[in-house]
């Protein structure tokens, strides 16, 4: 029995994330309720006062996912004893250049696309972009990349000058499909020319980005350890990785995922049921440790951004044969699978986590998946 079209729902980012963004899945605990204390200041939202945004050197616009006007305007107090690694103007220039290169990477072909990928992306994000380019002949262009114009960058946070590297920018865009995207940009040298996109994902429905410190003052970055957070960022991602594995663990964490985790588990269940007579399915997720970055919101909570790798493994039963789909053939030339097939997916996630002084459930803000490899025998 072929698992070709069935497998697509398991492995492709757009299938799972789009389902979650449209609210078409089963919510997990408290998943449909936006964060009650996720308010905005002039550093993260001025959607109701565009004229003020245009005249303030240190103001931005934040769009909440799944709502037209979920923010309010306030004024943030700040001290001048700290300073961001870049001015607001320089950060916006860097972000605009990277988004232009990103647009070219998805719109171009051949050498032009590969050159743009190198200028726009780095690390796991570049692997995902290259894989999306390879799959375009089978799946078409991702919906959020189909616009003719480059979305305007909205710089939400600039890392504080703490003498450490990498330097970070958190940027938001709103593509033509209306689902806000978050982009993490990083310079490992501290040079503006070396900034690249290292992580990006669409916001989940009902979410908003809480307030960061003023951009001129800069956002603190948790470089290592736990800091003042209740749980180490690595542990938060580790629990999430287990939560969305298949079969599902017996102990389910009290995370708010806004429908994402149920969508992942439902897709896995559907695949397992569809090939039950021919193969056994299991999914395992693990953390890409070097990709974890943690920015601190103004209230001391953390914004943990990271990536996971998921292997979806089909173990073929005796005397059965699976025929790979076209997406599988992009990465491997096996025409028949008689032993095992593995599909590898990069999973980009962002969560808000509590400080040690707060009682706050870990909450997913954004998520994206991209099939990046496949093999079998």
């Amino acid at each position: 029995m072929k698992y070709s079209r069935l497998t697509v729902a398991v492995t492709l980012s757009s299938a799972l994330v789009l389902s979650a963004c449209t609210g078409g899945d089963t919510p997990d605990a408290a998943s449909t309720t936006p964060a009650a204390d996720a308010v905005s200041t002039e550093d993260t939202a001025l959607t109701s006062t565009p004229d003020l945004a245009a005249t303030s050197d240190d103001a931005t616009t934040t769009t909440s996912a799944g709502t037209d006007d979920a923010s309010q305007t306030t004024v943030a107090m700040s001290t001048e004893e700290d300073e961001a690694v870049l001015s607001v103007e320089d950060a916006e220039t860097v972000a605009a250049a990277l988004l232009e290169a990103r647009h070219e990477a998805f719109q171009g072909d051949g050498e032009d696309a590969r050159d743009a990928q190198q200028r726009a992306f780095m690390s796991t994000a570049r692997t995902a972009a290259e894989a999306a380019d390879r799959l375009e002949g089978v799946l078409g262009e991702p919906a959020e990349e189909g616009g003719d114009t480059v979305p305007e960058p909205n710089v939400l946070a600039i890392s504080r000058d703490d003498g450490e590297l990498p330097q970070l920018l958190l940027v938001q865009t709103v593509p033509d499909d209306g689902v806000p995207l978050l982009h993490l940009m990083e310079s490992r040298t501290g040079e503006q020319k070396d900034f690249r996109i290292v992580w990006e994902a669409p916001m989940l429905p009902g979410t908003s980005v809480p307030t960061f410190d003023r951009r001129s003052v800069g956002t603190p970055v948790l470089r290592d350890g736990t800091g003042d957070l209740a749980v180490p960022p690595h542990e938060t991602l580790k629990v999430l990785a287990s939560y969305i594995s298949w079969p599902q663990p017996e102990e389910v964490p009290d995370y708010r995922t806004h429908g994402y985790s149920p969508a992942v588990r439902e897709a896995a269940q559907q695949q397992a049921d569809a090939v039950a007579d021919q193969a056994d399915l299991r999914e395992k997720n693990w953390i890409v440790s070097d990709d974890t970055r943690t920015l601190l919101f103004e209230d001391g909570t953390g914004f943990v951004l990271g990536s996971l790798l998921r292997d979806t493994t089909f173990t073929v039963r005796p005397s059965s044969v699976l025929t790979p789909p076209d997406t599988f053939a992009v990465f491997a030339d096996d025409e028949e699978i008689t032993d095992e097939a593995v599909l590898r997916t990069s999973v980009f996630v962002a969560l808000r986590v509590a400080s040690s002084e707060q009682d706050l459930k870990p909450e997913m803000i954004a998520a994206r998946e991209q099939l990046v490899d496949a093999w079998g025998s």
Side-chain angles (χ1 to χ4, degrees):
M1 176 180 177
K2 296 183 179 182
Y3 67 82
S4 57
R5 301 310 164 198
L6 299 171
T7 301
V8 170
V10 175
T11 60
L12 298 182
S13 59
S14 58
L16 295 181
V17 174
L18 182 58
S19 174
C21 286
T22 56
D25 52 63
T26 303
D28 52 357
S31 65
T32 59
T33 303
D37 54 352
V39 297
S40 304
T41 71
E42 64 175 15
D43 280 305
T44 56
L46 283 174
T47 54
S48 61
T49 54
D51 292 339
L52 180 58
T55 58
S56 172
D57 291 335
D58 198 27
T60 69
T61 300
T62 294
T63 303
S64 300
T67 179
D68 293 331
D69 188 11
S71 60
Q72 60 184 3
T73 302
T74 62
V75 177
M77 300 297 293
S78 65
T79 65
E80 298 302 327
E81 61 187 37
D82 295 305
E83 186 177 10
V85 294
L86 294 179
S87 68
V88 175
E89 181 179 3
D90 286 344
E92 290 174 341
T93 299
V94 168
L98 287 181
L99 291 174
E100 178 68 36
R102 178 184 183 277
H103 184 74
E104 293 174 10
F106 286 109
Q107 297 293 327
D109 296 306
E111 289 296 330
D112 290 340
R114 285 188 286 273
D115 176 67
Q117 288 166 2
Q118 292 176 3
R119 289 185 284 112
F121 298 101
M122 185 170 62
S123 189
T124 306
R126 182 165 153 191
T127 300
E130 291 171 347
D133 183 56
R134 294 178 65 181
L135 287 163
E136 191 172 312
V138 176
L139 303 171
E141 188 177 77
E144 66 270 21
E145 314 306 340
D148 294 330
T149 60
V150 182
E152 290 290 330
N154 177 23
V155 179
L156 302 182
I158 307 171
S159 63
R160 185 168 296 175
D161 188 359
D162 57 5
E164 301 289 337
L165 296 172
Q167 295 178 356
L168 302 172
L169 301 177
L170 182 66
V171 176
Q172 183 190 63
T173 58
V174 182
D176 291 341
D177 66 4
V179 179
L181 277 169
L182 299 178
H183 315 262
L184 185 67
M185 302 174 178
E186 174 181 299
S187 173
R188 295 179 179 175
T189 66
E191 297 292 331
Q192 292 186 32
K193 64 181 179 65
D194 292 330
F195 271 96
R196 298 291 185 274
I197 299 169
V198 295
W199 178 99
E200 59 184 12
M203 294 174 64
L204 293 169
T207 63
S208 59
V209 180
T211 306
F212 290 100
D213 286 325
R214 289 176 61 88
R215 295 177 300 172
S216 57
V217 173
T219 293
V221 178
L222 181 61
R223 301 290 181 180
D224 53 50
T226 306
D228 292 329
L229 300 182
V231 178
H234 186 274
E235 183 63 24
T236 297
L237 293 175
K238 181 179 178 181
V239 172
L240 178 66
S242 176
Y243 186 23
I244 60 175
S245 293
W246 181 261
Q248 184 180 354
E250 293 183 3
E251 294 186 10
V252 177
D254 193 11
Y255 278 25
R256 301 174 62 193
T257 70
H258 295 277
Y260 173 74
S261 292
V264 173
R265 295 192 300 271
E266 182 180 356
Q269 179 70 69
Q270 291 175 354
Q271 303 313 298
D273 292 344
V275 300
D277 293 336
Q278 290 78 30
D280 295 319
L281 180 145
R282 69 181 185 275
E283 288 187 337
K284 180 178 176 59
N285 300 273
W286 64 92
I287 305 168
V288 183
S289 296
D290 290 344
D291 286 356
T292 303
R293 298 287 181 263
T294 303
L295 304 174
L296 299 180
F297 291 119
E298 188 180 44
D299 64 0
T301 58
F303 193 42
V304 179
L305 305 97
S307 65
L308 313 174
L309 283 178
R310 174 187 301 145
D311 279 354
T312 302
T313 302
F314 294 84
T315 302
V316 183
R317 297 176 183 269
S319 302
S320 294
V321 177
L322 298 179
T323 303
D326 294 340
T327 50
F328 187 96
V330 169
F331 302 100
D333 58 4
D334 301 87
E335 296 182 356
E336 292 185 340
I337 303 297
T338 58
D339 182 22
E340 185 177 82
V342 181
L343 298 143
R344 175 161 290 178
T345 303
S346 283
V347 184
F348 300 88
V349 295
L351 302 94
R352 184 188 183 196
V353 298
S355 71
S356 57
E357 299 179 353
Q358 295 166 317
D359 184 15
L360 177 74
K361 297 177 182 179
E363 178 191 14
M364 289 189 70
I365 302 295
R368 177 173 74 101
E369 303 191 350
Q370 174 64 54
L371 177 67
V372 295
D373 202 359
W375 62 90
S377 60

